[in-house]
Amino acid sequence: MRLKNALISLVLLICPCALCYGQLSFSGVNGERGYSAMRGFYRADLDNGFVLTPHYEYYRQTDKEYDESGTISRYKLTGSYELNDDWSLTAAAFWQPTAVGYRAVGYGAGAEWKPFYRWGLIKNPVLAVWAGQERYKVYVDRMGNALADSFHQIATSAAVQARTELASWDLKASWHKVIQYKNNNFPPDVTFGWADIPYMTAVIQGFIKDAAAVRVSYRTNFITPYMALGRYNYAERRGTALSLSAGMRVNWGRTALTGGVEVFEPRREANRKTYFSMSAEVDF
């Protein structure tokens, strides 16, 4: 049911750009107790330097196959414009409608800089910066009970990403920092239902204070193994958490299929969560 809704949502967003060049991508994970998550987007090249990318994302924490109350969805739209060979600008906004006691909206803008094409073994380096704001509302506590008064939060954040190619290696790094939470008094029994960690498909829960991650992959003509490591901190509680992802990408013409595993809290036996991931990409 959720996959059907996801496909319909993407088709509705894609139709205006059906004749454009672009890329269609789906990625998903499945884990314990019926957990599942999916992210899909269509990157449409509109020519003249404009690129439009609609996204649909969801995750579900329930073992009931058709229980919509356990599902949270996000709708996102990203637009970018290439100023010249060195610089491009990006803007994005997302909407998370009320579900499971949470809702949110967010928006932001950034820029990408490509300093050169090749220097020795280094090829296609890119440095990107981003700033934005997210507005949250929480109506339930950690146990799902209704709060007497909803909890409102505004997060202003910034991010830096870098990537490059080194011979057959693809290297990526990302750092995200919440500069300010407007309300610093987090109730002890309140969290938030959606938090992203770089290079991970699975969604975690909590107000993230900062996150950093690196991803390394080795390209061949057909097979590309990869590994990613992330570290993040929560704003409402102490302690550093880790995430680990590893898998293999298989290229076949304009299509790529990826399979792997994602592990959160690999050092903590009691809190460890493992998800199996799959993704597909098609270039047009």
Side-chain angles (χ1 to χ4, degrees):
M1 175 66 77
R2 297 306 305 172
L3 180 59
K4 179 181 178 181
N5 291 343
L7 290 171
I8 292 174
S9 299
L10 278 175
V11 167
L12 292 175
L13 291 169
I14 290 169
C15 284
C17 302
L19 300 179
C20 305
Y21 295 101
Q23 180 187 78
L24 180 63
S25 175
F26 288 95
S27 59
V29 295
N30 286 278
E32 57 192 22
R33 297 182 181 179
Y35 181 99
S36 66
M38 193 281 293
R39 301 174 188 262
F41 69 83
Y42 179 74
R43 183 181 184 275
D45 189 343
L46 306 181
D47 293 329
N48 299 320
F50 287 97
V51 176
L52 190 65
T53 308
H55 305 247
Y56 173 71
E57 306 172 336
Y58 82 85
Y59 84 96
R60 183 180 65 208
Q61 293 191 94
T62 177
D63 54 5
K64 298 179 181 179
E65 186 176 359
Y66 298 111
D67 183 2
E68 295 296 320
S69 65
T71 301
I72 298 178
S73 296
R74 273 195 177 185
Y75 303 86
K76 183 179 179 180
L77 184 63
T78 303
S80 64
Y81 176 66
E82 188 176 280
L83 294 173
N84 50 47
D85 292 339
D86 299 330
W87 289 92
S88 62
L89 303 177
T90 303
F94 77 82
W95 171 53
Q96 178 185 320
T98 303
V100 201
Y102 308 106
R103 73 173 177 177
V105 295
Y107 40 84
E112 280 192 358
W113 177 45
K114 302 175 183 177
F116 54 84
Y117 172 68
R118 183 190 292 272
W119 183 43
L121 296 177
I122 300 175
K123 182 180 177 182
N124 291 325
V126 177
L127 179 65
V129 295
W130 179 268
Q133 193 172 83
E134 297 181 355
R135 297 172 177 264
Y136 309 96
K137 284 190 178 180
V138 182
Y139 301 96
V140 298
D141 62 17
R142 293 178 185 271
M143 302 302 295
N145 303 311
L147 297 174
D149 295 305
S150 60
F151 178 70
H152 298 237
Q153 185 61 273
I154 300 177
T156 303
S157 60
V160 178
Q161 294 183 338
R163 64 181 186 270
T164 190
E165 300 173 22
L166 184 63
S168 295
W169 296 90
D170 286 336
L171 310 176
K172 296 181 180 179
S174 179
W175 177 72
H176 172 266
K177 171 70 174 179
V178 174
I179 300 171
Q180 180 186 35
Y181 276 110
K182 186 175 182 179
N183 186 352
N184 289 319
N185 297 318
F186 290 91
D189 60 341
V190 170
T191 187
F192 189 69
W194 190 298
D196 289 320
I197 301 300
Y199 315 127
M200 303 289 161
T201 301
V203 178
I204 63 174
Q205 294 75 50
F207 292 98
I208 297 296
K209 182 179 180 180
D210 58 72
V214 294
R215 187 181 188 276
V216 179
S217 60
Y218 185 81
R219 286 180 291 105
T220 68
N221 290 333
F222 301 104
I223 298 175
T224 302
Y226 69 88
M227 178 176 290
L229 177 65
R231 178 203 60 79
Y232 52 98
N233 290 287
Y234 293 99
E236 73 268 37
R237 56 183 185 271
R238 295 181 179 180
T240 298
L242 296 175
S243 61
L244 177 67
S245 174
M248 185 172 296
R249 176 187 176 103
V250 178
N251 301 305
W252 183 27
R254 293 180 175 270
T255 303
L257 301 176
T258 303
V261 63
E262 297 182 4
V263 182
F264 290 82
E265 308 275 12
R267 295 179 178 176
R268 302 175 184 176
E269 196 68 36
N271 297 326
R272 184 178 300 173
K273 295 179 176 62
T274 302
Y275 307 105
F276 297 95
S277 64
M278 293 189 67
S279 66
E281 293 182 359
V282 180
D283 293 322
F284 295 94

